[in-house]
Amino acid sequence: MRARNRELVGLIPASLLLTAGFAAVFIQRSNHLSGLSLTYGAVFLGLCLAGHVFIRIALPYADPYIFPVVAVIACFGLVMVYRIDGATLARQQAQWFVLGLVLFIGTVIFFRDYRKLERYRYVIVTLSLALLVVPRLPVIGESVNGAYLEAHIPGVITFQPVEISKVGLIVFMASYLRDTRLVLAGGRRVLGVTLPPLKHLGPLLLLWGVAMGILILLHEVGSSLMFYGGLLAVLYVATGRLSFVVIGLLAFAGGAWYLATHIPHIDARVVAWLHPFRLSEYKALGGSYQIANAQFIQAAGGLFGQGLGGSIIDVPGSNPVVHWLPAADTDMIYAVIVGELGLFGASALLMCYLVLVQRGMKAAILAGDSFSKLLASGLSTIVALQVFVIVGGVTRVLPLTGVTLPFVSYGGSSILANFVLVALLLLVSDRARRPGVR
Amino acid sequence: MDGSIQKLFLAVVLLFALLIGWTSRWTVFSATALDNNPRNQLGYFRSLMVDRGRILADDGTVLARSVKAGGGTWSRTYPQGSLFSQTVGYYNARQGQKAGLERFWSGQLEGTSTGVSSVFGPLGTGTQVGNDVHTTLDPAGQQLARRLLAGRIGSVVAIVPQTGAIPVMYSNPSYDDNRPLAPCPANSQGVGCQTNLATQAELPPGSTFKIVTTTAALSTGRYTPQSTIVGNSPLTVSGVPLENDGNQSWGPVSLTTGLTYSINTVYAQVGEAIGRQTMFSYMKRFGFYSTPPLDYPAGQMTVSGERINGKLVPVTNDNVDLGRTAIGQANLTVTPLQMAMVVATVADGGTLMKPYLVTRSVNQVGQTVTTTTPTVYSHVMKPQIASELAGMMTKVVEEGTGTAANLQGLSGQVAGKTGTAQVGGPSSILDDAWFIGFAPVAHPKVAVAVVLTDIPNGYGGTYAAPIAAQMMKALLAEGL
């Protein structure tokens, strides 16, 4: 089967999943199956087909699995948002998908030759860093649970600049390291560790400083870990030096430890992570209530889950509604997935992400030039790290932080940014697999 | 570069493996510990969302049902309130409390999840609907018991002898199970109105216990109803003089006469003659020294037997005054339920059936889920002896202490035994007034135990016997 036909067939599970999921939630809600659930499925299938037709025309050689697996994850997320928040927010989420698709198409058309991104790398990095600071600005900046992640223009939009900056920073790093990677790799060996020449050590230190800066500015370990991990990954691919990664991680760990013990809100998260069931923590404002309840909801899920709509996320009979699991549709959405679809359902979702990452890495390997390789591997890594940070937070591998689960959590900026990211991956892939270009 | 990319992907795979590992940690390996964590309210939330089944009387009267409380939750309401509260009990999810049938039959009342399960969850209403529980309780009988007790502290228990079904179990004081946390009414006198006197009282049985002594005596073969014993008063028993009522000396009388007029000195001698071992073994056959085999929470039932300083002591213990035990004194305490079981045994030809309150549970689509089959608890005595004992008890009602039970319309059909147990020390004039009996004598259909506590000069024959007779008359008229 030809690649594009494989992609088309791959969309079938996505539409089935969406229709069946909506039907299940519908039945759970109103005890009868309404045509509306099927309409949702049909409309979304139509969107997927539109995306597919566009790819068929614009990116005929692109990897056939990336788009369907994104569709599956997105459908999954839409069902979950619908189940948690009901029709209104699900419709908004669906509208974000439409916008995301438009942005996807725009990116592909505008950056048809994505290597021209390199020309704007300093513009991109400046904008990305500037965006990060926005949540700290007066009036439009907003603090959520002590972290500065959201910018809010009243009546217009609320968005998370982090989501957009992550793509920009990876583009910059890929471009910057394409130029300097050979110089960086050829350093002197000191005590069995290869150190880059002093002249080029500066930018790396700057990198560390940026990550720490994000941490200090945003009070967010999760986002800075995601950034920093992504940047280190690009550095590693560019130089092949594991020592850079090790030194980088040690430096980050040191900085994070210092900040964790000196910024009260991060310290509280660490304590809540270590002792979620301690009564004082559980009852404290901004304490472990959320993470402890997420554990209980996951435990109730077991192997197969309780079915969509089966988890109790609000206190029954409470009026006004008391959320037993706060932020169930964003930070905590993975806990609801585990509770309702069980270990198997949640693992299946993680496997979908792994497939997406694998296809991204594959595109990087197939790509002919360094920039493409660095870009594709960096973008793939940052998706993986974002999943790791939030799922790890919910499952208590790490302290909980406020990043979104890509394509699943409710939230517009996340969806838009991730569609741009996928567009770039497909562009790299299309170029890499185009016959005769290598 | 490609090698690095491959290693990078390997690192991602490891990170994801870590995520799946941790997810399985919470969903599988630590799931039970998390489910039982004191902070975990999911079980409580679920209980709020259960549409518990109804509890129904024998005629279908609703004793307990669930009503919608908003947001998918349910709460419990008890249309009959204090009339049935002692037996039905209550369920309060918000306080995490339950009592009575609500507690014992909670599993059936909660039921199990309905609907077809699928990968996408339980298709169906999503509400857990419980089973209806049908009881043996008779609303007319309960109402009559309440009317006859007329606010006095006491208890009425009725049993169908051949099956063990309990149509009436009413006690004062009572409470409103719609408001289990409300303060008790003034007449509860420190007992606490949620104590079910029928199953939890520790009362001296007085002379009603002579039925147990007679059973043991006749069963040994050393006595017949015609055996002659000298019933003079006083008689020294365990070193202390024992008097008959009014210190009357009866001279040589038959055992039948001894029961008819409830002659204490006769029965003290019989008790001492048959010995501790025999007495103990017959008490156990009647259900003494065991938690009653009733479908009711064990925590709300008291074991009947000799109690010294609050502890159960077997009659075989040398500290037990055997002579006074034989006439229902010494330190013997019983529940009204236990005495109803004793008299039901005689009525059923010597076989004690397990008492029960619930006949069956039925699910929402009308299928019977559980059925109670009448079960033998023990063969206490031979039918021949039960028949002799029934004859002696008929005399009690015809010409002895229990003539007040000889109601018009029941004449010659009631067998019974009175009991008058002095309470509150030697100078007290307060008595517990007892009557246990059954009717009709030829083919017994109902057995009852009635007790009124702390009645001044409260003879069982005067106070309890009329209540018992009216209960039996009404239940027989109902065609029970």
Side-chain angles (χ1 to χ4, degrees), chain A residues 24 28 236-237 277 279 295-296 298-299 302 306-308 310 316 324 334 338 350 358 373 381 392 395-397, chain B residues 1-2 4 7-9 16 19-20 22-24 26-27 34 37 39-42 45-46 70-71 73 120-122:
Chain A
Q28 181 80 24
Y236 171 69
V237 172
F277 306 122
L279 191 59
Q295 306 289 282
F296 299 143
Q298 290 180 71
Q306 305 166 93
L308 288 175
W324 199 59
Y334 183 76
V338 175
L350 291 178
Q358 195 268 337
K373 281 181 186 293
T381 308
T395 54
R396 268 176 69 213
V397 177
Chain B
M1 275 175 110
D2 292 351
S4 300
K7 281 182 195 140
L8 183 60
F9 180 65
F16 274 56
L19 294 181
I20 291 178
W22 246 253
T23 305
S24 52
W26 308 129
T27 51
L34 285 169
N37 190 294
R39 315 262 171 280
N40 193 342
Q41 289 188 283
L42 286 175
F45 290 160
R46 277 201 200 292
T73 64
F120 290 105

Side-chain angles (χ1 to χ4, degrees), chain B residues 103 200 296-301:
Chain B
R103 180 159 155 203
Q200 287 176 280
Y296 194 75
Q300 287 179 264
M301 293 196 283

Side-chain angles (χ1 to χ4, degrees), chain A residues 253-307:
Chain A
W257 178 82
Y258 176 80
L259 291 171
T261 48
H262 286 79
I263 296 177
H265 130 83
I266 296 180
D267 183 40
R269 288 224 173 165
V270 171
V271 178
W273 168 55
L274 293 173
H275 310 286
F277 306 122
R278 210 181 256 173
L279 191 59
S280 55
E281 280 305 308
Y282 190 77
K283 293 211 155 157
L285 197 67
S288 64
Y289 183 79
Q290 187 186 32
I291 185 70
N293 291 351
Q295 306 289 282
F296 299 143
I297 283 174
Q298 290 180 71
L303 284 179
F304 302 100
Q306 305 166 93

Side-chain angles (χ1 to χ4, degrees), chain B residues 199-203 287-292 298 300-307 310 312 332-335 338:
Chain B
T199 58
Q200 287 176 280
E202 294 181 17
L203 301 171
F288 290 79
Y289 291 102
S290 300
T291 302
Q300 287 179 264
M301 293 196 283
T302 305
V303 177
S304 299
E306 282 283 340
R307 268 177 208 277
L312 271 180
L332 190 59
T333 69
V334 299
T335 60
Q338 176 62 66

Side-chain angles (χ1 to χ4, degrees), chain B residues 157-373:
Chain B
V157 177
I159 299 185
V160 177
Q162 292 80 12
T163 61
I166 296 185
V168 178
M169 185 189 267
Y170 181 82
S171 300
N172 274 337
S174 189
Y175 66 102
D176 182 1
D177 41 6
N178 292 299
R179 296 167 63 231
L181 301 177
C184 288
N187 72 348
S188 39
Q189 293 178 355
V191 187
C193 56
Q194 288 189 25
T195 301
N196 184 358
L197 236 49
T199 58
Q200 287 176 280
E202 294 181 17
L203 301 171
S207 299
T208 56
F209 190 76
K210 286 171 184 162
I211 301 298
V212 177
T213 309
T214 311
T215 303
L218 296 179
S219 297
T220 57
R222 289 164 56 189
Y223 289 91
T224 67
Q226 291 76 38
S227 299
T228 305
I229 303 119
V230 178
N232 285 343
S233 179
L235 175 75
T236 304
V237 175
S238 301
V240 181
L242 173 72
E243 290 182 6
N244 290 330
D245 188 37
N247 200 18
Q248 187 180 353
S249 284
W250 292 77
V253 290
S254 69
L255 192 60
T256 304
T257 306
L259 191 74
T260 306
Y261 298 99
S262 202
I263 303 170
N264 287 340
T265 53
V266 167
Y267 268 88
Q269 292 172 62
V270 171
E272 291 191 328
I274 59 175
R276 295 177 185 280
Q277 192 55 56
T278 307
M279 187 65 99
F280 187 49
S281 95
Y282 277 88
M283 284 174 78
K284 284 199 290 188
R285 289 192 193 194
F286 274 114
F288 290 79
Y289 291 102
S290 300
T291 302
L294 184 67
D295 48 352
Y296 194 75
Q300 287 179 264
M301 293 196 283
T302 305
V303 177
S304 299
E306 282 283 340
R307 268 177 208 277
I308 298 179
N309 298 328
K311 274 189 176 167
L312 271 180
V313 176
V315 178
T316 46
N317 188 306
D318 285 341
N319 293 326
V320 171
D321 183 340
L322 183 59
R324 282 186 174 76
T325 299
I327 60 166
Q329 290 185 13
N331 295 301
L332 190 59
T333 69
V334 299
T335 60
L337 172 66
Q338 176 62 66
M339 293 321 289
M341 287 160 67
V342 166
V343 73
T345 306
V346 181
D348 190 32
T351 302
L352 173 57
M353 302 302 289
K354 262 188 177 173
Y356 65 90
L357 286 162
V358 167
T359 53
R360 63 192 194 279
S361 61
V362 177
N363 69 14
Q364 291 307 296
V365 290
Q367 294 166 323
T368 300
V369 181
T370 65
T371 313
T372 305
T373 322

Side-chain angles (χ1 to χ4, degrees), chain B residues 81-150:
Chain B
S82 60
L83 184 60
F84 285 88
S85 60
Q86 290 290 12
T87 310
V88 166
Y90 58 87
Y91 171 79
N92 188 333
R94 284 176 172 78
Q95 256 74 42
Q97 293 169 330
K98 35 192 168 183
L101 293 178
E102 285 274 35
R103 180 159 155 203
F104 190 89
W105 287 94
S106 204
Q108 284 300 321
L109 289 165
E110 277 169 16
T112 44
S113 238
T114 53
V116 191
S117 288
S118 77
V119 205
F120 290 105
L123 299 175
T125 58
T127 306
Q128 189 175 328
V129 183
N131 302 331
D132 285 348
V133 164
H134 293 255
T135 69
T136 55
L137 295 169
D138 180 63
Q142 291 282 112
Q143 266 158 17
L144 183 62
R146 174 154 76 176
R147 189 161 65 74
L148 294 172
L149 285 177

